[in-house]
Amino acid sequence: MESKKIVSFKSLNKTVGRFSLKERTFLIPQMNRIGGHLLAATFRGFGIRAKVMDTYKGLDLGIEYTSGKECYPCQITTGDILYFMKKEKERLGDAFDPDNYIYFMPESSGPCRFGMYNKYQRIILDSLPDLNRLKIGALTTDDGYSLSGLIESQRVSDLRRTSYFSVVVADILDRLLWRIRPYEREPGSTDAFIEESMHRMENIFEKHGPGKEFDRILDEMEVIIKEGKDLVDPGSPKKPLIGMVGEIYVRSHVHANQDIIRVLERYGGEVVNASIAEWMNYTSYDRLRDAKIAFRLSMKQLRFGPMKEHLKKIFGYGSELYYQEFRQRKVYDRLASLIGIVRDHKIGHLEEVIKEDDLFSFDAGTEACLSIPGIMEYAREGFNGVVNVYPFTCMPSTITASIIKPRMNELGIPYLDTPYDAGIQPGREAAIRTFMYQAYQHFNQHGRKAA
Ligand code: SF4
């Protein structure tokens, strides 16, 4: 082949990867609002110019630059970055320089399409004047979203631990919102209170995050939870409890899922969505699991060199998982009982649940490993219904739906699949109302999980 016809992928190596954040603005896409803002605040505390981008305002651009076959989160995030850059160009004029930013788009090694988002977005950015120099910061699940190389090596561990802590605190703030809002005395008061609380926690994280003053941060959360309790109408009767699982982006992004939690609340439910920390624990657990499998294989083959390497990994990943689960437990121990916030399941326990009925396998990976046993646990714990929220055509969530639907029928637990894309499904609201009617029937017959 003539050399000029050889397609070069150097852009994927040179402008997608791990880059120093020094002197650059780190652009964080908004998946769940609170989580994104607390993470950005943590990064700012460590001296990084981190900013959460507006979301959904550039959906038209996302649709324009995609074919329609991509996953919905890819369309939304493509629109977000193109819209942000457009606005920055307008704001800065000739002073605009794409090299001043790092756009954060993590990835996973499959088996689904998440690993392709940043490659696809790279191709789009390369096709636009100026934006070919915008770098994509791609952290990967393969190394548990390691932050090495982003800042000075001696601060990486602190940044990682505080970032994880911010994710857990954001999960609790979200759960506080869903715990209070269905019972609020004054309509709208919870949303305003949580928004203000999020900004309070941003300040706290910027100030106390770098020193890992976790108790000081939790002091503020305790105050917030106590204030939040005052918004609840004490005379309001308990409502059916609905568990939510699904694809992490769409189930966390209120625009993408057309604010399904609010719709469920409108028809009488109280909702608990799966957390973000659960996914982070899963990626750590999965790497530890892989290292253990590789160790056993090299032991069988008597290959001592690889055995040593895998042992080292087992120790590293094991300590990381232990730290995360320990830290998460500490936070919930202190805060959950103040208002009855539902706790996460341990990932090891979820794998046991999957094995009991041979429903799926962690060997296959993906979010189905969390959703399938998560739903089974909701059913056992006395939730009154379960909703699976995901992008239209999402592979792991479609697997979840196919496996779990017959199980829920057997168990007599109301269950609803809600795939989303940029369109409005005319029958969706009717489906949610019907589901909530069934959840009420279940609630009246069986009661609900004790808060
Ligand atoms: S989890 Fe679903 S939406 Fe996300 S990349 Fe995979 S297939 Fe696409």
Side-chain angles (χ1 to χ4, degrees), residues 5 89 91 133 137 152-153 156 185 191 202-203 213 285 326 360 401 427:
K5 288 189 184 161
K89 267 192 211 174
R91 186 174 73 87
R133 286 188 294 119
E152 313 87 82
S153 53
V156 165
R185 253 194 300 243
D191 285 324
E202 281 181 276
N203 292 335
E213 297 170 72
Y285 180 89
F326 164 80
F360 191 63

Side-chain angles (χ1 to χ4, degrees), residues 95-115:
F96 173 75
D97 182 357
D99 211 19
N100 289 337
Y101 309 87
I102 302 273
Y103 161 53
F104 174 53
M105 178 44 68
E107 63 181 35
S108 80
S109 56
C112 68
R113 293 173 277 192
F114 184 40

Side-chain angles (χ1 to χ4, degrees), residues 339-358:
I339 193 168
I341 287 172
V342 172
R343 287 166 178 263
D344 271 358
H345 305 111
K346 275 183 86 165
I347 309 299
H349 174 67
L350 293 180
E351 186 172 15
E352 291 307 313
V353 172
I354 272 198
K355 281 182 186 162
E356 276 170 31
D357 289 332
D358 212 7

Side-chain angles (χ1 to χ4, degrees), residues 128-189:
L128 297 169
D130 289 350
L131 296 187
N132 56 356
R133 286 188 294 119
L134 170 64
K135 292 193 172 62
I136 302 181
L139 309 181
T140 169
T141 52
D142 278 357
D143 55 16
Y145 301 125
S146 160
L147 301 178
S148 312
L150 303 190
I151 59 167
E152 313 87 82
S153 53
Q154 65 274 22
R155 303 182 77 204
V156 165
S157 165
D158 284 354
L159 176 59
R160 188 185 161 80
R161 290 185 166 192
T162 311
S163 298
Y164 177 78
F165 183 70
S166 79
V167 170
V168 177
V169 170
D171 283 343
I172 299 246
L173 256 186
D174 265 330
R175 287 188 172 183
L176 182 65
L177 166 72
W178 307 323
R179 180 75 188 82
I180 300 173
R181 195 168 56 189
Y183 306 100
E184 66 191 0
R185 253 194 300 243
E186 257 180 62
S189 57

